[in-house]
C-alpha cells in the first residue's frame, strides 16, 4: 500500500472493517462477564473517558486509534469506574523479555483461576478467556462476536508483529459514586482534547483538537494513507457516537449537560458524513470530494471544540483548581 496518496487520483479501498476489540470493548467484555459492570459499552467508554480520546498519525496511518500511552490511560480508565487493575508492558526485543513473559503467564493464569479474563495486546487488544497447562496454551477471543477461543501458545505470548507486549488484569473493586464518575470523565475529556500525549512524538502524531489540523493538512497535501484514514475515521466515528450516547444518558444525572450532549450528537453526525465521503466510489468528482472532506473535518473540529468549551464552563472551578494539569486526579 502506497502511503503517498493523491486525493485527486486515488480513492479508498472500501471493505467491511473486521470486528476487532478496542480496549474499551475488551474491558467491557471482561467486566460484564464478571458482573462488575452492568451498563452498556457506551457507558463504560464514556465513564472511562476512552471515547473522548483523539490521536492521529500525521499521515493517517491505521495505527492511529491505538497510538497513545496505554499504561497511563488504562490505569485511569480502571480507576474511574472503581476497578483495581494491574498491568505491564514493554518491548519484546528487550533482553529481560523472557522474564516478563513468564511473569505475565503466571499473572494471567492466576486471574483466570479467579474467574477473571485478561486483556492482552496481540497486534490488537484481545481477551484471554482460559488456558490449558498440559498443552501450554491460552485461549483468547479477538472480536465482540467471537464465541470459540483461538489458541495462543505460552511461548508466543507477547511476541507480536509489532514490537510491543502488554497485558492487564483486574483484581477487585472499590466503591465510587456515579455522579463523581460522570464529573471526572468530562474533566478527562477536556484533558484529552487540550493536552498532547507525551508518549507520542509531535512530529509524527497530533492529539485532541490539534488532530483536526493534522487531518486537514494531510487531506490538503494528499500525502496520507487512504485506507488508514478510512479505518481511523471508522474507529473514531464509533467513539463519537458513544460519546454522544453517553453524554445524553449522563443528562439524566446532570441536566446541565444538555448543551454538551447536543454538541456531541452533532459531532457524531459529522463523523458519519466523513466516513460516507471516504467510502465514495471513483465516480465522485474529485474536486467535490476534496472540498466536502475539508469542510466536514472543519465542522467536526468546531463541534468538538464547542463540546469541550461547554464542559469547561460547567466544570470551571475543578478544572482551574488543577492548575496547569487538568488531567490530575
Amino acid at each position: 500500500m502506497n502511503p503517498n496518496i493523491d486525493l485527486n487520483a486515488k480513492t479508498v479501498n472500501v471493505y467491511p472493517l473486521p470486528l476487532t476489540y478496542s480496549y474499551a470493548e475488551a474491558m467491557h467484555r471482561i467486566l460484564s462477564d464478571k458482573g462488575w459492570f452492568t451498563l452498556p459499552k457506551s457507558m463504560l467508554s464514556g465513564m472511562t473517558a476512552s471515547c473522548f480520546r483523539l490521536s492521529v498519525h500525521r499521515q493517517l496511518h491505521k495505527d492511529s486509534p491505538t497510538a497513545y500511552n496505554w499504561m497511563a490511560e488504562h490505569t485511569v480508565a480502571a480507576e474511574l469506574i472503581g476497578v483495581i487493575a494491574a498491568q505491564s508492558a514493554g518491548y519484546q526485543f528487550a533482553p529481560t523479555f523472557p522474564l516478563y513473559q513468564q511473569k505475565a503467564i503466571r499473572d494471567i493464569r492466576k486471574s483466570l483461576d479467579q474467574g477473571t479474563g485478561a486483556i492482552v495486546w496481540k497486534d490488537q487488544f484481545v481477551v484471554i478467556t482460559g488456558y490449558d497447562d498440559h498443552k501450554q496454551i491460552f485461549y483468547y477471543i479477538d472480536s465482540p462476536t467471537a464465541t470459540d477461543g483461538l489458541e495462543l501458545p505460552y511461548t508466543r505470548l507477547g511476541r507480536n508483529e509489532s514490537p510491543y507486549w502488554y497485558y492487564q488484569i483486574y483484581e477487585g473493586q472499590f466503591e465510587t459514586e456515579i455522579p463523581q464518575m460522570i464529573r471526572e470523565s468530562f474533566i478527562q475529556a477536556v484533558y484529552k482534547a487540550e493536552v498532547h500525549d507525551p508518549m507520542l512524538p509531535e512530529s509524527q502524531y497530533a492529539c485532541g483538537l490539534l488532530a483536526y489540523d493534522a487531518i486537514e493538512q494531510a487531506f490538503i497535501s494528499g500525502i496520507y494513507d487512504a485506507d488508514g484514514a478510512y479505518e481511523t475515521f471508522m474507529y473514531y466515528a464509533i467513539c463519537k457516537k458513544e460519546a454522544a450516547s453517553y453524554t445524553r444518558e449522563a443528562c439524566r444525572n446532570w441536566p446541565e449537560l444538555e448543551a454538551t450532549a447536543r454538541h456531541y450528537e452533532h459531532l457524531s453526525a459529522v463523523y458519519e458524513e466523513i466516513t460516507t465521503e471516504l467510502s465514495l466510489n471513483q465516480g465522485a468528482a474529485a474536486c467535490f470530494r476534496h472540498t466536502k472532506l475539508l469542510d466536514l473535518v472543519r465542522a467536526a473540529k468546531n463541534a468538538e471544540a464547542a463540546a469541550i468549551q461547554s464542559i469547561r464552563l460547567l466544570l470551571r472551578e475543578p478544572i482551574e483548581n488543577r492548575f496547569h494539569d487538568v488531567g490530575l486526579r
Side-chain angles (χ1 to χ4, degrees):
M1 180 172 58
N2 182 2
N4 299 317
I5 296 169
D6 184 347
L7 182 62
N8 293 326
K10 172 80 172 179
T11 54
V12 179
N13 295 323
V14 179
Y15 48 87
L17 287 178
L19 291 173
T20 59
Y21 274 126
S22 65
Y23 168 76
E25 284 169 324
M27 185 187 208
H28 186 259
R29 174 68 178 256
I30 294 171
L31 298 184
S32 60
D33 285 351
K34 187 73 173 178
W36 288 358
F37 194 88
T38 58
L39 299 174
K41 184 239 171 178
S42 60
M43 294 300 290
L44 181 137
S45 189
M47 288 177 173
T48 60
S50 299
C51 63
F52 297 118
R53 180 181 50 77
L54 177 62
S55 56
V56 298
H57 189 278
R58 292 187 182 276
Q59 292 183 356
L60 306 183
H61 292 176
K62 66 179 181 180
D63 73 338
S64 294
T66 55
Y68 61 93
N69 187 334
W70 298 345
M71 295 291 282
E73 185 159 322
H74 297 172
T75 296
V76 172
E79 288 182 355
L80 285 172
I81 58 172
V83 172
I84 302 167
Q87 59 186 358
S88 191
Y91 294 97
Q92 59 175 291
F93 54 74
T96 52
F97 170 72
L99 298 176
Y100 283 107
Q101 185 189 54
Q102 288 303 310
K103 183 179 186 303
I105 292 169
R106 292 194 300 270
D107 288 347
I108 293 170
R109 287 189 308 182
K110 181 180 178 182
S111 182
L112 292 168
D113 288 341
Q114 296 171 348
T116 310
I119 296 177
V120 166
W121 176 254
K122 193 178 181 299
D123 295 314
Q124 66 171 76
F125 293 109
V126 303
V127 176
I128 303 290
T129 58
Y131 70 94
D132 186 325
D133 250 351
H134 179 69
K135 294 182 179 180
Q136 295 282 286
I137 58 172
F138 286 116
Y139 296 101
Y140 72 95
I141 49 178
D142 61 357
S143 78
T145 58
T147 54
D148 296 329
L150 302 171
E151 295 185 358
L152 174 62
Y154 289 172
T155 56
R156 297 303 303 168
L157 181 68
R159 296 193 181 277
N160 307 304
E161 291 185 14
S162 55
Y164 323 109
W165 60 268
Y166 171 86
Y167 71 96
Q168 184 180 57
I169 57 176
Y170 303 114
E171 300 177 326
Q173 291 180 286
F174 59 91
E175 190 170 338
T176 184
E177 299 295 328
I178 293 290
Q180 178 60 27
M181 280 194 281
I182 293 173
R183 177 175 174 271
E184 186 60 42
S185 69
F186 284 106
I187 293 177
Q188 294 298 318
V190 174
Y191 174 74
K192 293 179 188 300
E194 298 181 349
V195 179
H196 184 84
D197 189 324
M199 287 284 289
L200 302 177
E202 291 190 51
S203 61
Q204 298 178 41
Y205 292 90
C207 300
L209 294 175
L210 291 179
Y212 290 106
D213 297 336
I215 295 168
E216 183 177 340
Q217 184 56 43
F219 284 157
I220 290 173
S221 69
I223 303 174
Y224 72 99
D225 178 339
D227 288 342
Y230 179 70
E231 291 192 37
T232 296
F233 274 104
M234 286 295 291
Y235 175 87
Y236 286 126
I238 294 172
C239 290
K240 304 311 178 186
K241 184 175 182 180
E242 290 180 340
S245 177
Y246 170 65
T247 310
R248 175 56 60 193
E249 187 64 26
C251 286
R252 295 173 178 266
N253 292 84
W254 193 7
E256 289 82 0
L257 280 171
E258 175 61 34
T260 305
R262 289 199 302 270
H263 290 311
Y264 277 118
E265 286 165 349
H266 176 51
L267 178 63
S268 177
V270 174
Y271 266 77
E272 283 194 32
E273 289 191 66
I274 292 173
T275 56
T276 299
E277 285 300 313
L278 287 172
S279 302
L280 286 177
N281 60 38
Q282 202 155 359
C287 60
F288 171 77
R289 292 183 61 240
H290 184 271
T291 302
K292 186 71 179 294
L293 277 171
L294 289 175
D295 287 345
L296 287 171
V297 169
R298 291 162 184 156
K301 179 180 180 180
N302 290 338
E304 189 144 6
I308 296 303
Q309 182 58 28
S310 68
I311 296 169
R312 270 196 164 275
L313 290 174
L314 283 175
L315 295 168
R316 178 186 302 175
E317 184 175 349
I319 288 174
E320 290 181 352
N321 286 344
R322 297 185 188 191
F323 303 103
H324 298 297
D325 192 348
V326 69
L328 292 174
R329 300 186 57 242

